[in-house]
């Protein structure tokens, strides 16, 4: 036995079946989530590759301040080697002096802005 709809109520509209649209929206959201996860994983791989390499350099012992070949027979050649080593150290010190430090991370000036120096702390 069916119930009768009162006359004062507006007529019922036919049901609209929206399942295909829901499926389409679900597929789009799933594709976006997969792309986001892939992007996140790629970013993590690149980050680890960059900073593990820098971390290994930081852990390895530092080279001596003045790498000079002591076995040089010619005193002039020996002095020239010492002078070149000092110039390299001074140039490195001048470059480090131009760095800016923010929260323990050094930044060096590049054309158009600043970039952080991987593997270094200040």
């Amino acid at each position: 036995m069916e119930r009768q709809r009162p006359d004062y109520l507006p007529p019922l509209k036919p049901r609209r079946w929206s399942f295909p649209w829901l499926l389409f929206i679900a597929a789009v959201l799933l594709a976006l989530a997969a792309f986001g996860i892939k992007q996140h994983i790629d970013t993590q791989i690149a980050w680890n590759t960059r900073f593990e390499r820098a971390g290994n350099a930081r852990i390895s012992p530092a080279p001596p301040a003045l790498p000079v070949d002591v076995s040089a027979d010619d005193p002039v050649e020996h002095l020239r080697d010492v002078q070149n080593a000092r110039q390299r150290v001074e140039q490195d010190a001048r470059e480090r002096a131009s760095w800016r430090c923010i929260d323990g991370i050094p930044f060096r000036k590049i054309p158009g802005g600043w970039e952080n120096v991987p593997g270094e702390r200040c």
Side-chain angles (χ1 to χ4, degrees), residues 20-37:
W21 285 109
L22 287 176
L23 248 166
F24 176 72
I25 291 170
V28 168
L29 287 175
L30 187 63
L32 287 173
F35 176 74
I37 291 170

Side-chain angles (χ1 to χ4, degrees), residues 1 4-6 13-14 18 29-30 37 41-42 44 46-47 51 55-56 63 67 69-71 85 99 108 112-113 116:
M1 197 170 194
Q4 295 252 335
R5 187 166 173 81
K13 295 180 181 174
S18 60
L29 287 175
L30 187 63
I37 291 170
I41 290 172
D42 291 345
Q44 287 294 331
W47 182 272
F51 289 105
N56 290 342
D69 183 18
V70 182
S71 65
W99 291 359
R108 64 178 161 219
N116 63 326

Side-chain angles (χ1 to χ4, degrees), residues 4 16 32 36 47 50 52 65 73 78 84 99 101 107 117-118:
Q4 295 252 335
R16 298 174 81 188
L32 287 173
W47 182 272
R50 177 178 180 189
E52 280 180 8
D73 294 335
H78 177 70
N84 288 340
W99 291 359
C101 189
F107 290 89
V117 184

Side-chain angles (χ1 to χ4, degrees), residues 3 6 15 20 22 25 33 38 43 45 62 70 75 82 85 89 96 104-105 118 120:
R3 297 177 82 187
R15 282 186 143 180
L22 287 176
I25 291 170
K38 179 192 173 300
T43 302
I45 290 171
V70 182
V82 170
V89 169
R96 282 182 171 268
I105 301 172
E120 296 289 333

